[in-house]
Amino acid sequence: MSITDFNHLRAREWGMAALVLLFSFLLVFGSRTWRLESGSAISPEADTVLLIHETIGLEELVELMDAHGFRFNPDELRWASGILGWRRFNQGRYVFREPVGYPDFFSKLALGLQDPMLLRIPPGATKEALKERIAVQMQFETYELAAAMRDTSLLNRYGIEAHQLYGRILPDSYEVFWTSTPQRLLERLLSEFDSRVAEPYAGRMEELGRTVDEITTLASIIEWEARFDDEKPAISGLYWNRLNRRWRLQADPTVNYAKGERSRLVFADYRIDHPYNTYRIHGLPPGPITNPSLASIRSALFPEDHNYMYMVATPDGRHAFSRTYAEHRRKSREWTDWLREQRRIRVEMEREDALREEAGGSGQ
């Protein structure tokens, strides 16, 4: 073989090698480019909620995704992050329901394009329970919400005092962002109250000669007392009858509030010296004892027209109403007899259970 032929052979070999390398490069580059533009590079579990508590980097994101069950290629994710230039990811609540590509995934987290959530506020909660119930759904802590509820700049803006704010937190589901501050959330809740209660019912309150906060205070007592919405107007009518006759309100829920717990009351409880105990004070207590529902507020505004002055609980969770004290005492005895019978049955069942356990133990 001549030198010329040898050189031609080597040139062909180098050419083939170059073609192979070029083909391999194009194959890898094309594959990576296709993956980069693919809309299914990252696959979440169904309705995966990704909570980022503070701004994080790529490696922290990889760990978080792995912990939440995302299916993805970590090395490819790192490569895509470098190509696209997204390396820092903002705090927020992000929901992923279907496969997503790298550009959409990274930009959503890096730009903080979080998804709203439904904040659920229950009716009839104690002050502490309400704060905890709200905070556990949000990014902020309970103590931060408590501080915001005492913020005089916020309270002055709405012309209320701290103890009145409680009655203006309407139970409902609110679409909010998880990262909302306590102040911003309270502004939203107070605005909702104004638009749904204070403004539309201003005329009715003027007609009754009562302020917004007097109505929410009465509504809060109705909320605590009534288990069923259809009974609330009747309970409201009874309380209004007592107020109009300048009787003491004598509402058991206010005693529970003064006592600091929801439990069966005994005679000594009614003598607790407390500004909210309506067995000792005249008129309404200084503020709401719970956060009333819209149904309770409407019942306070539009009470049932009747002559009832007394009520007592019944076994089905409702109330028996009376016009006279004599009638009330008779119905109260029926309730007391039922409670006594329930205690007797419970004691008897406990005794039988103890005997069975004793017999089972002696037989071993």
Side-chain angles (χ1 to χ4, degrees):
M1 177 184 297
S2 66
I3 295 177
T4 302
D5 292 337
F6 178 78
N7 287 337
H8 286 166
L9 179 61
R10 290 295 301 273
R12 284 197 299 270
E13 290 175 350
W14 280 107
M16 289 297 295
L19 287 174
V20 169
L21 288 173
L22 177 63
F23 178 77
S24 300
F25 170 79
L26 292 175
L27 185 63
V28 171
F29 178 79
S31 175
R32 283 292 181 93
T33 302
W34 177 83
R35 289 290 293 166
L36 186 65
E37 299 299 330
S38 171
S40 59
I42 300 170
S43 296
E45 299 289 342
D47 290 342
T48 298
V49 178
L50 194 64
L51 296 179
I52 300 180
H53 291 265
E54 58 185 5
T55 301
I56 61 174
L58 181 61
E59 292 307 316
E60 294 165 297
L61 177 61
V62 170
E63 293 178 6
L64 196 60
M65 292 172 64
D66 189 57
H68 282 74
F70 282 90
R71 295 186 298 276
F72 66 103
N73 184 321
D75 292 332
E76 188 176 85
L77 183 86
R78 295 183 180 96
W79 169 81
S81 172
I83 292 295
L84 297 171
W86 301 116
R87 296 181 178 83
R88 302 295 291 174
F89 308 99
N90 282 316
Q91 62 178 359
R93 176 184 180 274
Y94 306 96
V95 180
F96 297 93
R97 296 186 172 87
E98 56 189 19
V100 60
Y102 292 123
D104 290 340
F105 181 77
F106 284 134
S107 62
K108 181 173 185 172
L109 302 183
L111 297 175
L113 305 177
Q114 58 178 312
D115 298 282
M117 55 166 280
L118 280 182
L119 172 66
R120 293 178 172 84
I121 298 180
T126 64
K127 289 182 179 179
E128 293 306 314
L130 182 62
K131 285 182 283 193
E132 291 173 2
R133 184 67 177 269
I134 292 175
V136 76
Q137 299 177 71
M138 303 294 292
Q139 186 188 27
F140 53 71
E141 299 293 338
T142 304
Y143 74 88
E144 294 175 298
L145 177 60
M149 294 177 77
R150 298 189 300 268
D151 182 5
T152 55
S153 63
L154 174 67
L155 297 171
N156 291 341
R157 202 181 319 150
Y158 287 88
I160 59 175
E161 297 181 20
H163 66 276
Q164 297 170 331
L165 170 59
Y166 185 44
R168 298 187 178 215
I169 300 178
L170 281 178
D172 207 339
S173 294
Y174 299 90
E175 191 174 83
V176 299
F177 288 110
W178 178 65
T179 54
S180 296
T181 64
Q183 291 80 3
R184 180 165 294 182
L185 176 62
L186 290 174
E187 289 172 356
R188 164 75 185 283
L189 296 176
L190 288 170
S191 296
E192 286 280 346
F193 179 85
D194 284 348
S195 64
R196 296 171 65 184
V197 177
E199 294 168 5
Y201 294 113
R204 177 57 177 166
M205 293 178 199
E206 185 177 356
E207 181 182 335
L208 292 170
R210 295 288 179 174
T211 66
V212 174
D213 296 296
E214 287 176 324
I215 292 299
T216 57
T217 296
L218 179 57
S220 72
I221 300 172
I222 297 169
E223 181 69 44
W224 194 314
E225 181 71 49
R227 183 182 298 181
F228 304 99
D229 283 350
D230 63 356
E231 198 181 37
K232 289 178 178 179
I235 294 174
S236 176
L238 184 148
Y239 286 144
W240 274 107
N241 288 344
R242 291 181 178 178
L243 289 170
N244 291 334
R245 295 190 186 187
R246 300 187 182 280
W247 286 22
R248 284 191 175 93
L249 205 58
Q250 294 188 332
D252 284 7
T254 65
V255 184
N256 284 117
Y257 181 85
K259 187 178 178 181
E261 62 181 27
R262 296 189 183 221
S263 61
R264 180 162 175 73
L265 300 173
V266 297
F267 181 75
D269 295 332
Y270 295 99
R271 304 181 67 179
I272 294 175
D273 186 15
H274 193 281
Y276 279 72
N277 183 357
T278 55
Y279 279 81
R280 294 181 64 90
I281 67 167
H282 284 278
L284 292 166
I289 61 174
T290 189
N291 62 317
S293 64
L294 195 55
S296 294
I297 293 173
R298 286 172 176 160
S299 296
L301 288 166
F302 302 98
E304 186 177 303
D305 185 13
H306 57 60
N307 295 318
Y308 295 131
M309 300 299 295
Y310 306 92
M311 64 181 171
V312 65
T314 59
D316 61 359
R318 292 181 176 272
H319 294 79
F321 297 91
S322 304
R323 293 178 177 83
T324 66
Y325 185 62
E327 183 184 5
H328 173 64
R329 289 193 64 184
R330 178 180 61 78
K331 293 179 179 178
S332 296
R333 281 195 298 270
E334 293 174 359
W335 169 243
T336 302
D337 290 344
W338 183 84
L339 289 176
R340 187 178 296 112
E341 177 63 12
Q342 297 309 302
R343 284 195 294 271
R344 186 196 67 77
I345 294 172
R346 185 174 64 253
V347 170
E348 182 64 22
M349 292 177 64
E350 290 173 352
R351 188 183 70 82
E352 292 177 358
D353 289 342
L355 289 174
R356 279 195 294 269
E357 289 180 6
E358 183 179 344
S362 62
Q364 293 180 353

Coordinates of all heavy atoms in Angstrom, one line a residue, residues 275-313:
P275 N -67.5 39.7 84.0 CA -68.2 40.7 83.3 C -69.1 40.1 82.2 O -70.0 40.7 81.7 CB -67.2 41.6 82.7 CG -65.9 40.8 82.7 CD -66.0 39.9 83.9
Y276 N -68.8 38.8 81.8 CA -69.6 38.2 80.7 C -70.7 37.3 81.3 O -71.5 36.8 80.5 CB -68.7 37.3 79.8 CG -68.0 38.1 78.8 CD1 -66.9 38.9 79.2 CD2 -68.3 38.0 77.5 CE1 -66.2 39.7 78.2 CE2 -67.6 38.8 76.5 CZ -66.6 39.6 76.9 OH -65.9 40.3 75.9
N277 N -70.8 37.1 82.6 CA -71.8 36.2 83.2 C -73.1 37.0 83.3 O -73.4 37.8 84.1 CB -71.4 35.8 84.6 CG -72.3 34.8 85.3 OD1 -73.4 34.5 84.7 ND2 -72.0 34.4 86.5
T278 N -74.0 36.6 82.4 CA -75.3 37.3 82.3 C -76.3 36.9 83.4 O -77.4 37.4 83.4 CB -75.9 37.1 80.9 OG1 -76.1 35.7 80.6 CG2 -75.1 37.8 79.8
Y279 N -75.9 36.1 84.3 CA -76.7 35.8 85.5 C -76.4 36.8 86.5 O -77.2 37.0 87.5 CB -76.5 34.4 86.0 CG -77.2 33.3 85.3 CD1 -76.8 32.8 84.1 CD2 -78.4 32.8 85.8 CE1 -77.4 31.8 83.4 CE2 -79.1 31.8 85.1 CZ -78.7 31.3 83.9 OH -79.3 30.4 83.3
R280 N -75.3 37.6 86.3 CA -75.0 38.6 87.3 C -75.0 40.0 86.8 O -75.1 41.0 87.5 CB -73.5 38.3 87.8 CG -73.4 37.0 88.6 CD -72.0 36.8 89.1 NE -71.6 37.8 90.1 CZ -71.8 37.8 91.4 NH1 -72.4 36.7 91.9 NH2 -71.4 38.8 92.2
I281 N -74.9 40.2 85.5 CA -75.0 41.5 84.9 C -76.3 41.7 84.2 O -77.0 40.8 83.8 CB -73.8 41.7 83.8 CG1 -74.0 40.8 82.6 CG2 -72.5 41.5 84.5 CD1 -73.2 41.1 81.4
H282 N -76.6 43.0 83.9 CA -77.8 43.3 83.1 C -77.4 43.6 81.7 O -76.3 44.1 81.4 CB -78.5 44.6 83.7 CG -79.3 44.3 84.9 ND1 -80.6 43.7 84.9 CD2 -79.0 44.4 86.3 CE1 -81.0 43.6 86.1 NE2 -80.1 44.0 87.0
G283 N -78.2 43.3 80.8 CA -78.0 43.6 79.3 C -77.0 42.6 78.7 O -76.8 41.5 79.3
L284 N -76.4 43.0 77.6 CA -75.5 42.1 76.9 C -74.1 42.1 77.5 O -73.7 43.1 78.1 CB -75.4 42.6 75.4 CG -76.6 42.4 74.6 CD1 -76.5 43.2 73.3 CD2 -76.9 40.9 74.3
P285 N -73.3 41.1 77.4 CA -71.9 41.1 77.8 C -71.1 42.1 77.0 O -71.6 42.6 75.9 CB -71.5 39.7 77.6 CG -72.4 39.1 76.6 CD -73.7 39.8 76.8
P286 N -69.9 42.4 77.4 CA -69.1 43.4 76.7 C -68.7 43.1 75.2 O -68.4 44.0 74.4 CB -67.8 43.5 77.5 CG -68.2 42.9 78.9 CD -69.2 41.9 78.6
G287 N -68.7 41.8 74.9 CA -68.4 41.4 73.5 C -68.8 40.0 73.2 O -69.4 39.3 74.0
P288 N -68.6 39.6 72.0 CA -69.0 38.2 71.6 C -68.3 37.1 72.3 O -67.1 37.3 72.7 CB -68.7 38.2 70.1 CG -67.6 39.2 69.9 CD -67.8 40.3 70.9
I289 N -68.9 36.0 72.5 CA -68.3 34.9 73.2 C -67.8 33.8 72.2 O -67.1 32.8 72.6 CB -69.3 34.2 74.2 CG1 -70.5 33.7 73.5 CG2 -69.6 35.2 75.3 CD1 -71.5 32.9 74.4
T290 N -68.2 34.0 70.9 CA -67.7 33.1 69.9 C -67.9 33.8 68.5 O -68.5 34.9 68.5 CB -68.5 31.7 69.9 OG1 -67.9 30.8 69.0 CG2 -69.9 31.9 69.5
N291 N -67.5 33.2 67.4 CA -67.7 33.8 66.1 C -69.0 33.3 65.5 O -69.1 32.1 65.2 CB -66.6 33.6 65.2 CG -66.3 32.1 64.9 OD1 -66.4 31.3 65.8 ND2 -66.1 31.8 63.6
P292 N -70.1 34.1 65.4 CA -71.4 33.7 65.0 C -71.4 33.5 63.5 O -70.8 34.2 62.7 CB -72.3 34.8 65.4 CG -71.4 36.0 65.4 CD -70.1 35.5 65.8
S293 N -72.3 32.5 63.1 CA -72.5 32.3 61.6 C -73.5 33.4 61.1 O -74.1 34.1 61.9 CB -73.1 30.9 61.4 OG -74.4 30.9 62.1
L294 N -73.6 33.4 59.8 CA -74.5 34.4 59.2 C -76.0 34.1 59.6 O -76.8 35.0 59.8 CB -74.4 34.4 57.7 CG -75.0 35.5 56.9 CD1 -74.5 36.9 57.4 CD2 -74.7 35.4 55.4
A295 N -76.3 32.8 59.8 CA -77.6 32.4 60.2 C -77.9 32.9 61.6 O -79.0 33.4 61.9 CB -77.8 30.9 60.2
S296 N -76.9 32.9 62.5 CA -77.1 33.4 63.9 C -77.3 34.9 63.9 O -78.1 35.5 64.6 CB -75.9 33.0 64.8 OG -75.9 31.6 64.9
I297 N -76.5 35.6 63.0 CA -76.6 37.1 62.9 C -77.9 37.5 62.4 O -78.6 38.4 62.9 CB -75.4 37.6 62.0 CG1 -74.1 37.4 62.7 CG2 -75.7 39.1 61.7 CD1 -72.9 37.7 61.8
R298 N -78.4 36.8 61.4 CA -79.8 37.1 60.9 C -80.8 36.8 61.9 O -81.8 37.6 62.0 CB -80.0 36.3 59.6 CG -79.2 36.8 58.4 CD -79.3 35.8 57.2 NE -78.7 36.3 56.0 CZ -78.3 35.5 55.0 NH1 -78.5 34.2 55.1 NH2 -77.7 36.0 53.9
S299 N -80.7 35.8 62.7 CA -81.6 35.5 63.7 C -81.6 36.6 64.8 O -82.7 36.9 65.3 CB -81.3 34.1 64.4 OG -81.4 33.1 63.5
A300 N -80.4 37.1 65.1 CA -80.4 38.2 66.1 C -81.1 39.5 65.5 O -81.7 40.3 66.2 CB -78.9 38.5 66.4
L301 N -81.0 39.7 64.2 CA -81.6 40.8 63.5 C -83.1 40.7 63.3 O -83.8 41.6 63.4 CB -80.9 41.1 62.2 CG -79.5 41.6 62.2 CD1 -78.8 41.5 60.9 CD2 -79.5 43.1 62.7
F302 N -83.5 39.4 63.1 CA -84.9 39.1 62.8 C -85.4 38.0 63.7 O -85.6 36.9 63.3 CB -85.1 38.8 61.3 CG -84.6 39.8 60.4 CD1 -83.3 39.7 59.8 CD2 -85.4 40.9 60.0 CE1 -82.8 40.7 58.9 CE2 -84.9 41.9 59.1 CZ -83.6 41.8 58.6
P303 N -85.6 38.4 65.0 CA -86.1 37.3 65.9 C -87.5 36.9 65.7 O -88.3 37.7 65.1 CB -86.0 38.0 67.3 CG -86.2 39.5 66.9 CD -85.5 39.7 65.6
E304 N -87.9 35.7 66.1 CA -89.2 35.2 66.0 C -90.1 36.0 67.0 O -89.7 36.3 68.1 CB -89.3 33.7 66.3 CG -90.6 33.1 66.1 CD -90.6 31.6 66.4 OE1 -89.8 30.9 65.7 OE2 -91.3 31.1 67.2
D305 N -91.3 36.4 66.6 CA -92.2 37.1 67.5 C -93.0 36.2 68.3 O -93.9 35.5 67.8 CB -93.1 38.0 66.6 CG -94.0 39.0 67.4 OD1 -93.7 39.1 68.7 OD2 -94.9 39.5 66.9
H306 N -92.8 36.1 69.6 CA -93.5 35.2 70.5 C -93.4 35.8 71.9 O -92.8 36.8 72.1 CB -93.0 33.8 70.4 CG -91.5 33.7 70.7 ND1 -91.0 34.1 71.9 CD2 -90.5 33.2 70.0 CE1 -89.7 33.8 71.9 NE2 -89.3 33.3 70.8
N307 N -94.0 35.1 72.9 CA -94.1 35.6 74.2 C -93.3 34.7 75.2 O -93.4 34.7 76.4 CB -95.5 35.6 74.8 CG -96.3 36.7 74.0 OD1 -95.8 37.8 73.7 ND2 -97.6 36.4 73.7
Y308 N -92.4 33.8 74.6 CA -91.6 32.9 75.5 C -90.6 33.7 76.3 O -89.9 34.6 75.8 CB -90.9 31.9 74.6 CG -91.8 30.9 73.9 CD1 -91.7 30.7 72.5 CD2 -92.9 30.3 74.6 CE1 -92.5 29.8 71.9 CE2 -93.7 29.4 73.9 CZ -93.5 29.2 72.6 OH -94.4 28.3 71.9
M309 N -90.4 33.3 77.5 CA -89.4 33.9 78.4 C -88.4 32.9 79.0 O -87.4 33.3 79.5 CB -90.1 34.6 79.6 CG -91.1 35.7 79.2 SD -90.3 37.1 78.3 CE -89.3 37.8 79.5
Y310 N -88.7 31.7 78.8 CA -87.9 30.6 79.4 C -87.7 29.5 78.4 O -88.5 29.3 77.5 CB -88.5 30.0 80.6 CG -88.9 31.0 81.7 CD1 -90.2 31.5 81.7 CD2 -88.0 31.4 82.7 CE1 -90.6 32.5 82.7 CE2 -88.4 32.3 83.7 CZ -89.7 32.8 83.6 OH -90.1 33.8 84.6
M311 N -86.6 28.8 78.5 CA -86.3 27.6 77.7 C -85.4 26.7 78.5 O -84.6 27.0 79.4 CB -85.7 28.0 76.4 CG -84.3 28.6 76.5 SD -83.6 29.1 74.8 CE -82.1 30.0 75.3
V312 N -85.5 25.4 78.1 CA -84.7 24.4 78.7 C -84.4 23.3 77.6 O -85.1 23.2 76.7 CB -85.4 23.7 79.9 CG1 -86.7 22.9 79.4 CG2 -84.5 22.7 80.6
A313 N -83.2 22.7 77.7 CA -82.8 21.8 76.7 C -83.7 20.5 76.7 O -84.3 20.2 77.7 CB -81.3 21.4 76.9

